[in-house]
Amino acid sequence: VALRPADRMLAGSIGKTYVSAITLQAVQEGKLDLDAKIERWLGRESWFTRLPNSKDITLRMLMNHSSGIPEHVLNKDFIAAMRKDPDRIWKPDELIAYIFDAKPLFPAGQGYSYADTNYILVGMIYERVTKKTVYGEVERRILKPLKLERTIPSDRRTLPEVITGYSMPNSPFGFEGRVITDGKFIINPQMEWTGGGFASTAEDLARW
């Protein structure tokens, strides 16, 4: 069946742009500071010192991928756990645990390496400071005002009216072919959260 502009599919890492937008609004409102160390918000967590470059990272570095933190999504243990239990609902601290004690890719702020892990941490900070959910605020601040009515959170294995995609051979996740079978994703897209986290359409994304 030929694709149409109104067909809904996973939007992947474009979801980070919604997270960026509401985070920058929080900066404008004085709730967050781009150049503050993330230790201000996460430093009391028992795992904080296990983050690579933990004490040197600022919010800005997370948002522009210059933190030096590796990518948890490509961790072999994470991929194995995700495939073993596709119904699992992942908590943010369970996701970032896969890069605990890893060697930094470079000193904080002195390089560039794209990682969903950065935006999982941004989401954690945003919800901690605002006491509101990222999904709720994206809906209130972006989707409703801009009438992006075909954009929804990809927060479960069964999503309404989402077309199937096809994974290429040798994909990082180790499977190929249809990504939706019997109406369910073969892995849970919920794990993307603030690293992606939305299904949308070409029309909605063009308007956004």
Side-chain angles (χ1 to χ4, degrees), residues 13-182:
S13 288
I14 295 172
K16 291 184 180 73
T17 64
Y18 302 125
V19 178
S20 292
I22 64 169
T23 301
L24 291 173
Q25 286 176 341
V27 170
Q28 287 180 326
E29 293 160 7
K31 297 170 184 173
L32 289 170
D33 178 352
L34 282 174
D35 294 310
K37 300 282 181 69
I38 65 170
E39 186 176 19
R40 173 189 294 186
W41 305 292
L42 301 176
R44 294 183 180 179
E45 297 293 338
S46 59
W47 45 258
F48 181 73
T49 57
R50 300 180 66 190
L51 279 180
N53 287 336
S54 59
K55 292 186 177 296
D56 299 321
I57 297 169
T58 65
L59 179 58
R60 187 189 300 272
M61 291 174 193
L62 291 180
M63 294 182 71
N64 67 20
H65 300 283
S66 64
S67 69
I69 289 177
E71 173 65 277
H72 74 276
V73 173
L74 299 179
N75 181 286
K76 291 180 180 179
D77 292 336
F78 171 68
I79 293 171
M82 184 175 55
R83 294 191 63 186
K84 182 179 180 181
D85 185 5
D87 285 316
R88 178 172 175 176
I89 305 297
W90 292 85
K91 297 177 181 177
D93 54 355
E94 293 172 336
L95 297 171
I96 63 172
Y98 285 93
I99 55 92
F100 286 165
D101 305 319
K103 183 179 179 181
L105 300 177
F106 45 79
Q110 297 185 35
Y112 174 86
S113 187
Y114 188 94
D116 282 19
T117 320
N118 287 311
Y119 270 73
I120 299 299
L121 290 161
V122 171
M124 294 171 76
I125 291 168
Y126 182 88
E127 292 196 344
R128 179 159 303 186
V129 170
T130 65
K131 304 292 191 293
K132 295 177 180 176
T133 68
V134 167
Y135 281 136
E137 288 300 278
V138 168
E139 173 82 9
R140 185 176 73 85
R141 292 171 175 263
I142 296 173
L143 304 184
K144 282 188 175 180
L146 300 181
K147 295 182 171 57
L148 305 180
E149 295 167 356
R150 297 279 291 157
T151 303
I152 59 172
S154 53
D155 57 356
R156 60 201 68 196
R157 285 183 71 192
T158 302
L159 296 170
E161 301 177 32
V162 172
I163 64 172
T164 190
Y166 296 83
S167 185
M168 62 184 178
N170 304 315
S171 78
F173 296 119
F175 56 78
E176 61 179 287
R178 292 178 67 93
V179 298
I180 298 176
T181 58
D182 299 323

